[in-house]
Amino acid sequence: AAMEALIFAPNRYPSHAWTVDKMAAVINASIAARVAAPKRVPARRSFFGKSVVGADPVRAQKARFAPPRAASDDQAQVIKPINGDPFIGMLETPVTSAPIVANFLSNLPAYRTGVSPLTRGVEVGLAHGFFLTGPFIKLGPLRMTESAELAGCLSGAGLVIILTACLSIYGATAFQTEDPIGVKTLSGRDVGRDPVQSEDGWAKFTSGWLVGGLSGVAWSYFLTQVLPYYS
C-alpha cells in the first residue's frame, strides 16, 4: 500500500502539491500500518511436537468449556427410595437391600407379619428377659454375696415390669385413632398395615412381652441354680 502511494501519488495530486511533507506523511502511515499489523510468530519443534516460541503451551491451547453434568450421570445412584417410591419413607442401600440382611430382618419377630402379635411379644420378651439378668448378677451391688443370682433375677424382673408399663403408655398415646386413608404407594396401591400397629394388636404384643420377659427371667434363674459349671 505504501509503494502504491509513492508510485501513483504524482497522478493523484498536482505537481505543485507533491511536496516532501506529503511524502513523509505517506511513509509514516505505511510504517504505522506495519507496526499495527499482527506479527506471525515462528513455530519451533519441541520434544512434544510443534510449539509457539515465547508462548505458554497451556495458554496457547484453545479453551474448551464442557457443560456441567450432575453427579448422578457419572455414577450409579447407590442410595434410593425403596421400590422407587419416596412416599414409603424408607431408603434402599447396599446393606439393607442385601439378600442376607433382608432374610435376617424378615425372620425377626418384630417384622414377622404372619405371626400373631401375642406370639411375637412372647418371643421378644423371652430373649430380653433371659439376657437382662446377667448384668444385674455380675455387676449389681450384691454380686459378691451368696444371693447374687436371686437379687439379679429380681432386678431383671423389675425392669421387665417397668418396660411393660412403658409399652402400655406408648400404645395408649400412639394408637388413639386409626388413619381412615391408610397407607398407599405412589401408584395408589394399598399397603397392608401390620397388625401390631393398632391399639388391639399393641395391647396383645405388650401382654406377650410381659409373659415372655418374666418367663425368660425365671429360666435364667433356673439355669444359675442347675448348671454345674456356673460360678
Side-chain angles (χ1 to χ4, degrees), residues 142-154:
L142 301 178
R143 59 184 179 274
M144 302 302 295
T145 61
E146 296 180 355
S147 59
E149 292 81 8
L150 180 61
C153 292
L154 290 177

Side-chain angles (χ1 to χ4, degrees), residues 46 48 106 182:
S46 61
F48 296 100
S106 300

Side-chain angles (χ1 to χ4, degrees), residues 7-85:
I7 294 173
F8 298 103
N11 298 329
R12 296 178 182 178
Y13 304 99
S15 58
H16 64 274
W18 184 251
T19 60
V20 179
D21 296 335
K22 291 184 177 181
M23 293 181 63
V26 173
I27 294 174
N28 292 335
S30 64
I31 294 174
R34 287 178 177 271
V35 173
K39 294 183 179 180
R40 190 173 181 181
V41 181
R44 67 181 182 183
R45 188 172 297 276
S46 61
F47 178 76
F48 296 100
K50 291 184 178 181
S51 60
V52 180
V53 177
D56 190 358
V58 177
R59 295 182 180 178
Q61 295 179 356
K62 185 178 180 181
R64 298 180 180 178
F65 299 95
R69 294 184 300 175
S72 59
D73 297 340
D74 298 334
Q75 57 183 358
Q77 190 173 0
V78 179
I79 301 176
K80 55 185 178 180
I82 189 169
N83 295 333
D85 190 352

